[in-house]
Amino acid sequence: MERRRFFAGLFLMVGLVLGSLFTNFVYKDYLAYGGQIDSLVLNNKDLYVSSASLLPYILFKRGKQYGILFLAGYLLQPAVFLFGSFFCGAFFLGSMLSLQIIQMGLKGLFIVLFSFFPHFICYGIAALLLFRRNAEGDEREETAFYGGRSFSERFSIQIEIILVILGCVLESYVNPSVMAEILKMFS
């Protein structure tokens, strides 16, 4: 188990560093050839306006992402799935953080971190349940369907779907309000 934690941390750190280096490299080359990158957050304030049309879009987008993770969790070995997810997520986060910090300094860091709140708590718990179910599925024979299993193990898929839907609602209605207040503070 310690070995798995070490490699998970290693993939997270490597993803953050490579994402940051990639963004810094591309950003400097883009500017060197006369390009211009405006602030992604402050110029797109309309992205953080909650509306009824935002929820179906986010449900479709997050449902598709959950479906891909669900399939990848069954088709790939759990360790490959875990380490690949950590690396990809960390690469994306490192790239976003680097770009916003280059553009806005410390304000960019806070804006990126608050853009993941509160919906990514639900998404993270759903991903952990998905990984745990896949990891335990390899280790345990499924002879008895409900014998000796906890509530979260028996209803893992239903809990994951409920958490994804709750995360979509939070991302559609709560996060835009939080981001509007954060943007008011920094404006």
Side-chain angles (χ1 to χ4, degrees):
M1 191 62 160
E2 289 299 319
R3 185 174 178 203
R4 204 178 257 185
R5 286 183 186 167
F6 169 76
F7 281 114
L10 179 67
F11 273 75
L12 279 172
M13 295 306 295
V14 168
L16 280 171
V17 169
L18 288 178
S20 180
L21 290 175
F22 174 78
T23 300
N24 288 335
F25 178 72
V26 171
Y27 180 80
K28 289 177 184 176
D29 273 355
Y30 184 72
L31 290 180
Y33 289 106
Q36 179 179 357
I37 297 179
D38 294 330
S39 175
L40 295 175
V41 174
L42 294 180
N43 288 337
N44 294 322
K45 289 181 183 178
D46 294 336
L47 292 175
Y48 298 108
V49 176
S50 64
S51 66
S53 63
L54 187 61
L55 181 62
Y57 169 74
I58 290 175
L59 274 171
F60 174 73
K61 185 173 82 167
R62 297 299 182 200
K64 185 171 60 172
Q65 289 171 349
Y66 176 76
I68 290 170
L69 287 177
F70 189 83
L71 284 175
Y74 280 109
L75 296 177
L76 301 174
Q77 294 294 325
V80 173
F81 168 64
L82 174 69
F83 297 144
S85 297
F86 280 162
F87 178 79
C88 292
F91 187 90
F92 174 70
L93 179 62
S95 179
M96 272 185 32
L97 280 171
S98 181
L99 184 60
Q100 289 301 323
I101 289 171
I102 287 171
Q103 293 176 357
M104 301 172 61
L106 194 56
K107 290 190 295 189
L109 173 70
F110 289 117
I111 288 173
V112 168
L113 293 180
F114 276 107
S115 69
F116 293 120
F117 180 77
H119 52 285
F120 267 85
I121 294 170
C122 294
Y123 299 148
I125 294 170
L128 287 173
L129 285 172
L130 175 67
F131 175 73
R132 189 180 83 186
R133 182 169 33 85
N134 290 337
E136 289 177 355
D138 284 354
E139 297 170 0
R140 180 193 313 184
E141 291 287 326
E142 302 260 9
T143 56
F145 192 66
Y146 287 123
R149 298 173 69 193
S150 70
F151 178 80
S152 67
E153 290 172 337
R154 281 187 278 160
F155 299 105
S156 178
I157 294 174
Q158 292 88 346
I159 294 171
E160 291 166 22
I161 291 171
I162 289 170
L163 284 170
V164 169
I165 292 171
L166 179 62
C168 290
V169 170
L170 291 173
E171 187 174 0
S172 299
Y173 297 108
V174 175
N175 183 262
S177 303
V178 169
M179 288 304 296
E181 293 302 316
I182 296 296
L183 292 174
K184 282 181 192 175
M185 282 180 21
F186 289 125
S187 295

